[in-house]
């Protein structure tokens, strides 16, 4: 979601004046705005991803707070599954968020050398990084899927009393990898369509 | 062959501007493929390692910091600190140090601390005719306290990688954190006196009580986090979630800096900020898997033993290495790249992992201030509207003070180890 709260505090390098800490748009990170069905699909994907990850993270916080409070009021009624379930929820929230940072090109990187490259060479590196990212995400997604599938096939359950089906938790990794693969592909295509540009590249996202 | 592939591929991809997660991931996968490790076992290890209660404290703390940055909490702290020390010459600089110290005790991020405090204090300092480079330097250096004074995101990551107690690490940061704040405060007073910076107007008794009472909800945050953990009431993860929850409540209902409509976007923002770290952790786990599988860790330990390396050799090497990496990478990337290789050496060299953790964290504070890639520098350049070179000039004296602090923490392990021993036994 193109929220005005998203910041990239690492928004300058190499002795240049730093622009205002922005949002989801470090200088040069945002590709030219396009209209049409692809842009609309991007917007909705972004909104859904942000809503899912935000909702899950907020829900996990509420669950932990509820558990802590109930534990001190009536320990017998405190949910015993919170520790375990919270991990699953938070990992889903965070891994789903990986798609958004890929689309917005907010992955942390050292881009110092890129700034002394010619526009063309930088363009090649940018495209190469996204193609490699696409391939790596597919790799991660495929093996992540195999792990989740095996857990489903063998009915792997967590070793706690909850006996949680582990494929649900394991599924976060291939889903995140798929979202990242789509993100890298989308960025690579957009770069190829726009060609080399005399602009700084995306910068590290702060955390 | 492994080491050659590692260095060549790693350096090449890094220079080409590949995201850190890709640099680590592609290198590790290639190395594991060379050693014939089944890839499905690698993925299995990733999901198993991510299944960690401690690790999820990280997104919770990031969520807390995201809400705290929104102004209301920082403003209340600054008003309260102004009522305490504002009348001293250069009082606003001192307010910055104290404000950052307290803010650091709520959120675990240096950049969030510098951002929240700097946005309010830098314009104030400039209005009082403080030198722009000095204003930037104070905020930048004080902001680094965010990862030294507990809670600390960097310590959570270190704790997970080193399999060390996070509460113990948090405690270990208290004494060095207070010392660092005192060093920075001392320099602020000296410089303010030298440059004749003004005092702020005395606060009336009524105002004093008003601003301090208004700041009470903000002060409750460190009490919840640290009181919860060390009072045995909550785990680190629970304290982090409570901190995020209370930060939301205070921001919404007390300081009114956010509305209901901001909740979901801010949570999503926090999840994405966490994702940027977590994806590097995912691949760093693969990299760590290779370090173990390939026997590299054992080889390094053997090499150290054969060459009879002393502790000070190691600390010198680590400081140079982290300083170098910190010039080009941000905190979590440095931690996740360097620690899998460095941690196996602690045992043979007889170094306490908690002590080493503090050495690493102070090195990371320096990384935040060292060009060309120092996140606090960028934040300050944007807040002060100053050229980066001017911000760097302002942070130099403070970076020297941090260097002195690093030396003290290396030379005197008790600075880090005394408090955890007293509190936790």
């Amino acid at each position: 979601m193109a929220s005005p709260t998203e910041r990239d505090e690492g928004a300058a390098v190499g002795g240049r004046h730093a622009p205002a800490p922005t949002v989801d748009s470090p200088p040069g990170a945002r590709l030219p705005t396009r209209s049409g069905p692809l842009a609309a699909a991007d917007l909705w994907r972004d909104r859904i991803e942000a809503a899912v990850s935000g909702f899950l993270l907020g829900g996990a916080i509420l669950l932990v707070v509820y558990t802590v409070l109930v534990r001190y009021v009536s320990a017998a009624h405190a949910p015993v599954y919170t520790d375990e379930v919270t991990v699953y929820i938070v990992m889903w929230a965070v891994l789903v968020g990986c798609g958004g940072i890929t689309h917005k090109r907010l992955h942390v990187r050292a881009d110092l050398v890129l700034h002394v490259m010619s526009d063309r060479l930088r363009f090649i590196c940018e495209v190469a990084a996204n193609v490699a990212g696409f391939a790596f995400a597919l790799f991660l997604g495929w093996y992540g899927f195999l792990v989740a599938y095996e857990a489903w096939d063998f009915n792997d359950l967590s070793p706690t009393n909850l006996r949680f089906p582990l494929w649900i938790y394991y599924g976060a990794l291939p889903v995140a990898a798929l979202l990242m693969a789509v993100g890298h592909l989308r960025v690579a295509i957009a770069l190829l369509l726009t060609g080399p540009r005399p602009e700084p590249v995306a910068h590290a996202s702060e955390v | 062959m492994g080491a050659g592939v590692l260095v060549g591929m790693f350096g090449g991809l890094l220079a080409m501007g590949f995201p850190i997660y890709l640099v680590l991931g592609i290198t590790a996968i290639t190395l594991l493929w060379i050693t014939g490790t089944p890839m499905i076992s690698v993925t299995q290890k990733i999901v198993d390692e991510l299944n960690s209660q401690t690790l999820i404290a990280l997104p919770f703390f990031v969520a807390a910091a995201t809400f705290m940055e929104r102004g209301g909490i920082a403003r209340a702290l600054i008003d309260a600190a102004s009522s305490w020390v504002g009348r001293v010459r250069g009082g606003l600089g001192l307010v910055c140090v104290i404000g950052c110290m307290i803010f650091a005790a709520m959120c675990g991020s240096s950049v969030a601390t510098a951002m929240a405090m700097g946005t309010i204090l830098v314009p104030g300092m400039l209005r009082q005719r403080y030198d722009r480079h000095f204003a930037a330097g104070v905020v930048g250096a004080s902001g680094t306290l965010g990862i030294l004074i507990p809670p600390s995101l960097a310590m959570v990551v270190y704790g997970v990688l080193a399999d060390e107690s996070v509460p113990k690490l948090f405690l270990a940061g208290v004494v060095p954190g207070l010392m660092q704040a005192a060093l920075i405060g001392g320099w602020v007073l000296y410089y303010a006196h030298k440059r004749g910076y003004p005092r702020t107007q005395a606060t009336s008794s009524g105002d004093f009580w008003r601003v301090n009472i208004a700041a009470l909800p903000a002060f409750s945050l460190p009490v919840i986090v640290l009181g919860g953990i060390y009072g045995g009431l909550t785990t680190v993860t629970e304290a982090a979630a409570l901190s995020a929850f209370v930060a939301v409540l205070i921001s919404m209902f007390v300081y009114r800096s956010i509305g209901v409509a901001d909740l979901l976007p801010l949570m999503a923002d926090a999840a994405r900020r966490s994702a940027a770290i977590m994806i590097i952790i995912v691949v760093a786990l693969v990299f760590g898997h290779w370090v173990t599988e390939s026997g590299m860790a054992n080889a390094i330990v053997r090499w150290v033993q054969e060459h009879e390396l002393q502790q000070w050799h190691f600390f010198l090497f680590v400081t140079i290495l982290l300083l170098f990496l910190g010039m080009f990478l941000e905190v979590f990337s440095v931690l996740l790249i360097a620690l899998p290789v460095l941690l196996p050496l602690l045992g043979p060299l007889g170094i306490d992992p908690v002590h080493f953790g503090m050495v690493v964290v102070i090195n990371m504070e320096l990384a935040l201030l060292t060009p060309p890639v120092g996140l606090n520098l960028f934040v300050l350049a944007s807040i002060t509207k100053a050229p980066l070179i001017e911000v760097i000039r302002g942070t130099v004296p403070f970076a020297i003070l941090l260097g002195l602090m690093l030396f003290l923490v290396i030379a005197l392990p008790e600075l880090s180890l005394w408090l955890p021993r007293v509190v936790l036994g």
Side-chain angles (χ1 to χ4, degrees):
Chain A
M1 186 176 289
S3 143
T5 57
E6 292 185 41
R7 284 186 174 145
D8 172 29
E9 273 102 337
V13 288
R16 287 179 306 101
H17 182 280
T22 63
V23 204
D24 46 355
S25 55
R30 182 175 283 175
L31 295 162
T33 311
R34 289 172 179 277
S35 53
L38 208 53
D42 268 352
L43 185 65
W44 278 105
R45 177 206 42 74
D46 189 56
R47 283 180 178 170
I48 293 167
E49 266 178 36
V52 169
S53 56
F55 180 76
L56 288 175
L57 185 59
I61 289 171
L62 284 178
L63 178 61
V64 174
V65 170
Y66 169 76
T67 305
V68 172
L69 294 179
V70 172
R71 194 167 67 211
Y72 285 99
V73 176
S74 167
H77 293 94
V80 288
Y81 53 81
T82 300
D83 282 357
E84 183 182 349
V85 171
T86 315
V87 173
Y88 304 147
I89 298 175
V90 171
M91 281 308 159
W92 263 96
V94 169
L95 289 174
V96 166
C98 287
I101 57 170
T102 307
H103 274 270
K104 291 175 190 298
R105 305 169 76 191
L106 290 172
H107 279 298
V108 181
R109 60 173 164 178
D111 50 8
L112 197 68
V113 180
L114 284 180
H115 281 273
V116 295
M117 289 180 181
S118 67
D119 293 344
R120 187 166 177 76
L121 190 56
R122 190 171 61 230
F123 170 74
I124 293 169
C125 288
E126 288 263 40
V127 174
N130 280 289
V131 171
F134 174 69
F136 182 77
L138 284 185
F139 166 88
L140 207 58
W142 172 246
Y143 284 103
F145 168 75
L146 289 182
V147 170
Y149 177 77
E150 279 189 9
W152 176 76
D153 197 27
F154 291 101
N155 195 25
D156 282 350
L157 303 172
S158 63
T160 59
N161 288 338
L162 187 62
R163 312 294 289 156
F164 189 84
L166 285 173
W167 67 267
I168 297 175
Y169 161 61
Y170 291 164
L173 188 64
V175 169
L178 183 66
L179 292 171
M180 283 166 60
V182 172
H184 279 301
L185 186 65
R186 179 81 183 87
V187 174
I189 291 170
L191 280 168
L192 288 169
L193 289 174
T194 53
R197 289 183 302 161
E199 291 182 20
V201 289
H203 299 285
S205 68
E206 169 274 333
V207 195
Chain B
M1 182 181 173
V5 173
L6 173 71
V7 174
M9 187 178 274
F10 190 87
L13 296 178
L14 202 63
M16 285 174 71
F18 277 45
I20 304 293
Y21 95 90
L22 267 183
V23 176
L24 272 173
I26 292 175
T27 309
I29 294 294
T30 308
L31 291 166
L32 285 166
W33 176 72
I34 289 173
T35 51
T37 309
M39 291 301 153
I40 195 162
S41 72
V42 177
T43 329
Q44 183 70 54
K45 181 164 174 64
I46 290 174
V47 285
D48 288 343
E49 293 274 356
L50 285 177
N51 192 347
S52 153
Q53 259 294 307
T54 311
L55 202 54
I56 63 164
L58 201 136
F60 289 160
F61 276 130
V62 172
T66 305
F67 284 95
M68 287 176 203
E69 265 180 37
R70 300 284 285 185
I73 292 172
R75 164 58 69 190
L77 289 180
I78 288 167
D79 288 346
S82 294
S83 75
W84 306 337
V85 294
R87 289 192 65 194
V88 179
R89 186 174 291 285
L92 212 48
L94 213 52
V95 167
C96 177
V97 180
I98 294 172
C100 283
M101 212 167 73
I102 303 172
F103 200 83
M106 300 176 182
C107 88
S109 157
S110 283
V111 181
T113 305
M115 173 70 79
M117 290 289 149
T119 308
I120 299 168
L121 279 171
V122 167
M125 283 194 262
L126 296 181
R127 272 197 301 278
Q128 290 200 1
R129 290 178 288 108
Y130 280 54
D131 296 291
R132 193 164 60 172
H133 65 84
F134 178 75
V138 178
V139 178
S142 307
T144 63
L145 287 168
I147 54 168
L148 185 57
I149 289 181
S152 158
L153 293 179
M155 287 184 201
V156 172
V157 172
Y158 179 89
V160 170
L161 290 175
D163 201 15
E164 188 52 70
S165 152
V166 175
K168 203 186 248 188
L169 286 165
F170 279 1
L171 275 179
V174 171
V175 173
L178 293 176
M179 282 179 67
Q180 184 183 314
L183 277 176
I184 297 171
W187 176 258
V188 167
L189 289 178
Y190 163 76
Y191 196 84
H193 185 74
K194 189 176 143 193
R195 299 283 298 158
Y197 291 152
R199 297 178 164 90
T200 49
Q201 278 191 335
T203 314
S204 68
S205 170
D207 281 346
F208 179 87
W209 287 110
R210 186 182 55 76
V211 296
N212 278 280
I213 288 169
L216 280 180
F219 290 138
S220 72
L221 278 161
V223 175
I224 287 168
V225 175
L226 304 178
I229 295 171
Y230 299 109
L233 303 173
T234 62
T235 62
V236 172
T237 305
E238 288 170 345
L242 278 171
S243 160
F245 181 71
V246 175
V248 172
L249 289 185
I250 292 175
S251 302
M252 275 181 79
F253 300 113
V254 181
Y255 302 124
R256 299 176 188 278
S257 52
I258 60 165
V260 178
D262 296 321
L263 277 179
L264 196 60
L266 282 171
M267 278 295 171
D269 185 29
R272 284 181 169 171
R273 287 177 177 209
S274 308
I277 307 173
M278 206 64 88
I279 189 65
I280 306 177
I281 293 178
V282 167
V283 291
L285 293 172
V286 182
F287 183 67
H289 188 61
W290 174 78
V291 170
T292 316
E293 285 281 306
S294 65
M296 188 187 184
N298 289 337
I300 296 173
V301 170
R302 264 199 313 278
W303 188 88
V304 165
Q305 285 169 336
E306 281 166 13
H307 289 77
E308 295 179 352
L309 242 62
Q310 304 298 309
Q311 280 191 7
W312 73 268
H313 294 140
F314 176 73
F315 279 124
L316 186 65
F317 168 74
V318 165
T319 300
I320 293 169
L321 175 76
L322 296 183
L323 203 60
F324 177 75
L325 289 175
M327 286 168 68
F328 303 99
L329 300 168
E330 54 70 67
V331 169
F332 297 102
S333 307
V334 177
L335 290 179
L336 292 163
I337 289 169
L339 289 180
V341 183
L342 295 175
L343 288 171
L345 295 174
L346 300 184
L349 287 168
I351 297 169
D352 191 302
V354 173
H355 175 215
F356 183 64
M358 292 311 108
V359 173
V360 169
V361 170
I362 295 174
N363 264 299
M364 291 304 94
E365 289 186 282
L366 275 167
L368 286 160
L369 293 180
T370 45
V373 180
L375 289 183
N376 276 16
L377 298 178
F378 303 147
V379 171
L380 291 163
S382 107
I383 293 172
T384 57
K385 309 281 184 290
L388 203 57
I389 192 74
E390 193 177 327
V391 176
I392 292 167
R393 183 181 151 214
T395 54
V396 167
F398 296 101
I400 294 170
L401 289 177
L402 285 188
L404 174 66
M405 195 62 228
L406 177 63
F407 173 77
L408 288 173
V409 167
I410 290 174
L412 305 168
E414 280 300 291
L415 290 179
S416 318
L417 302 177
W418 171 75
L419 194 58
R421 193 174 54 242
V422 168
V423 176
L424 301 173

